[in-house]
């Protein structure tokens, strides 16, 4: 394609966007359209085109499902599709979802049977959202979230997992098989590598259960001594058999901590309440080991935050976080939530 032809194509795409009446984020829409054209120019085979087009269509459907509830806090509940209704785990999932829904949290599930159905039942139809997947050997979405306005169906696991993780600010994993473990480990990986912002993760068992304690022992006895994870990587996870503790962990994580942003190599933590000088001094004393350089300081909104209008009204702390100190970051967030100024 010549430069003139490329310019003509660009103008055609721009005109198409304008004719569609699209005003916001036009550059991103143009990029999506251009990428589609480039797939054709590349001679991409039919199977790969079907994957790309289906994935984009599925994400659009999911975005439309979640958009009306953008301002409502959400918790995703993972667990086995094979858990029976007479299993104590079923009651545990239903109970924790019911309490969270009463406190204003929407409950997101994989829209299947077992633990997923229990959580949807606990939340109730108005507070349950489902992201199901078409499988040849599994049951259909539960009746509680089968209404098309409260669920969406996916073909691919990767698009489904994206939506189950992307929209929530808390996660509860109950015992399950390969699928549940896959989802749980992806959560840990995303947060360990900084690809997802810190979120509360609860591994919830039935009262007296030992399912997740076995995983905890494996982490402590095998993974940490082998040096394949950091000693505090599991600090971000609460292992419990108490629904009350699970609810407290999910809701308590957001008492004072609001969000974070990296500005070059400086980590900015946004808070709901302004800490005192004495509180900042105590944080520096307790968390000096996770700071690679300098101190934890109270700062004004950075220029890039001001330009983006990114939570500029909130007080914020700045620090240079040491490499692989994700566990320490979680402990710092816990300490921020315990400050007297947050009460």
């Amino acid at each position: 394609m010549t430069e003139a032809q490329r310019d003509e194509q660009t103008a055609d795409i721009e005109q198409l966007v304008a004719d569609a009446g699209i005003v916001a984020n036009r550059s991103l829409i143009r990029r999506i359209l251009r990428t589609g054209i480039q797939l054709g120019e590349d001679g991409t085979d039919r199977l790969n085109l079907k994957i790309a087009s289906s994935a984009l269509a599925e994400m659009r459907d999911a975005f439309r499902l979640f958009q009306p509830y953008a301002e409502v806090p959400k918790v995703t509940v993972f667990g086995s599709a094979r858990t029976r209704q007479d299993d104590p785990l079923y009651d545990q999932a239903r109970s924790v979802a019911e309490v969270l829904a009463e406190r204003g949290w929407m409950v997101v599930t994989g829209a299947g049977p077992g633990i997923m159905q229990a959580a949807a039942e606990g939340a109730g139809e108005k507070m349950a959202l489902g992201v199901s997947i078409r499988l040849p050997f599994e049951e259909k979405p539960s009746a509680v979230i089968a209404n098309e306005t409260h669920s969406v169906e996916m073909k691919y696991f990767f698009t489904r997992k994206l939506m189950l993780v992307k929209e929530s600010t808390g996660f509860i994993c109950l015992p399950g098989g390969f699928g549940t473990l896959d989802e749980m480990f992806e959560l840990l990986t995303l947060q360990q590598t900084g690809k997802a912002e810190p979120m509360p993760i609860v591994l919830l068992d039935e009262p007296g259960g030992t399912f997740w304690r076995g995983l905890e022992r494996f982490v402590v006895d095998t993974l940490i001594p082998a040096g394949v994870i950091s000693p505090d990587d599991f600090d971000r996870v609460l292992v419990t058999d108490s629904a009350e503790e699970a609810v407290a962990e999910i809701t308590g994580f957001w008492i004072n901590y609001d969000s974070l942003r990296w500005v070059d190599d400086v980590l900015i933590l946004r808070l709901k309440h302004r800490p005192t000088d004495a509180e900042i001094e105590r944080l520096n004393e307790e968390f000096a080991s996770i700071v690679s350089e300098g101190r934890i300081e109270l700062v004004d909104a950075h220029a890039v935050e001001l330009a983006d209008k990114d939570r500029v009204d909130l007080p914020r702390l700045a620090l240079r976080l040491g490499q692989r100190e994700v566990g320490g970051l979680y402990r710092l967030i816990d300490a921020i939530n315990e400050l007297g100024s947050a009460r």
Side-chain angles (χ1 to χ4, degrees):
M1 180 179 290
T2 66
E3 189 66 30
Q5 289 173 323
R6 181 68 68 186
D7 290 342
E8 183 179 355
Q9 183 186 88
T10 299
D12 289 342
I13 292 174
E14 179 65 40
Q15 188 61 52
L16 180 62
V17 173
D19 290 345
I22 298 170
V23 177
N25 302 310
R26 293 175 64 149
S27 63
L28 293 174
I29 300 299
R30 290 196 300 269
R31 182 179 177 184
I32 291 171
L33 293 173
R34 181 177 294 282
T35 299
I37 292 172
Q38 290 170 336
L39 285 169
E41 293 173 341
D42 294 341
T44 307
D45 66 44
R46 182 174 178 80
L47 175 58
N48 288 337
L49 288 174
K50 288 176 69 176
I51 292 172
S53 62
S54 294
L56 188 59
E58 289 184 358
M59 286 190 284
R60 184 213 177 200
D61 290 342
F63 294 154
R64 294 177 70 193
L65 171 70
F66 283 98
Q67 196 279 331
Y69 314 106
E71 301 303 318
V72 183
K74 303 173 194 68
V75 58
T76 295
V77 177
F78 296 112
S80 176
R82 304 184 184 188
T83 303
R84 299 172 60 88
Q85 293 189 13
D86 58 356
D87 192 312
L89 286 168
Y90 196 97
D91 290 336
Q92 189 79 305
R94 182 166 50 195
S95 174
V96 74
E98 181 178 10
V99 174
L100 283 166
E102 289 173 350
R103 298 191 181 187
W105 286 69
M106 298 196 79
V107 176
V108 183
T109 75
I115 293 299
M116 293 172 279
Q117 180 165 332
E121 288 176 358
E125 185 176 356
K126 291 183 179 180
M127 298 298 283
L129 293 170
V131 185
S132 68
I133 189 162
R134 297 191 294 276
L135 294 174
F137 306 120
E138 297 290 347
E139 297 179 40
K140 300 299 182 183
S142 66
V144 178
I145 47 179
N147 187 300
E148 63 181 21
T149 61
H150 285 85
S151 67
V152 64
E153 186 178 67
M154 302 288 201
K155 178 180 180 180
Y156 298 117
F157 270 113
F158 74 90
T159 50
R160 181 189 190 224
K161 287 199 294 183
L162 170 66
M163 300 313 302
L164 287 171
V165 171
K166 174 185 175 295
E167 297 293 334
S168 290
T169 54
F171 302 91
I172 298 176
C173 304
L174 287 97
F178 293 151
T180 300
L181 295 175
D182 173 53
E183 290 155 344
M184 184 270 298
F185 279 120
E186 178 156 339
L187 284 175
L188 297 184
T189 301
L190 289 172
Q191 299 202 14
Q192 180 194 52
T193 56
K195 297 298 287 185
E197 291 195 13
M199 304 281 178
I201 300 174
V202 178
L203 306 185
L204 177 63
D205 210 333
E206 66 181 276
T210 59
F211 185 93
W212 295 119
R213 293 299 176 187
L215 172 64
E216 188 175 39
R217 287 194 300 273
F218 178 68
V219 169
V220 173
D221 297 341
T222 303
L223 297 184
I224 293 176
V228 293
I229 67 171
S230 298
D232 58 2
D233 273 349
F234 209 61
D235 287 356
R236 77 200 67 184
V237 178
L238 173 66
V239 180
T240 183
D241 62 357
S242 166
E244 291 77 14
E245 287 185 2
V247 170
E249 179 72 7
I250 297 297
T251 58
F253 191 86
W254 305 102
I255 287 178
N256 192 22
Y257 170 73
D258 179 84
S259 56
L260 63 75
R261 177 166 180 169
W262 287 93
V263 178
D264 296 324
D265 63 342
V266 176
L267 177 62
I268 308 294
L269 301 176
R270 281 81 73 104
L271 283 58
K272 295 181 174 70
H273 305 277
R274 184 184 180 91
T276 66
D277 291 343
E279 289 173 335
I280 296 173
E281 188 61 35
R282 288 198 298 273
L283 290 177
N284 274 291
E285 293 173 0
E286 184 175 353
F287 293 97
S289 63
I290 73 170
V291 179
S292 64
E293 179 185 337
R295 291 169 49 84
I296 301 172
E297 299 179 325
L298 186 69
V299 297
D300 295 327
H302 192 277
V304 296
E305 295 178 292
L306 293 171
D308 294 340
K309 299 180 181 179
D310 187 8
R311 319 295 284 175
V312 296
D313 57 323
L314 295 178
R316 57 240 301 128
L317 297 174
L319 68 146
R320 285 180 166 82
L321 186 68
Q323 188 178 23
R324 296 180 179 174
E325 287 290 353
V326 179
L329 173 59
Y330 274 73
R331 294 196 306 275
L332 175 58
I333 290 173
D334 286 342
I336 286 172
N337 286 325
E338 291 296 326
L339 294 177
S341 56
R343 305 297 172 178

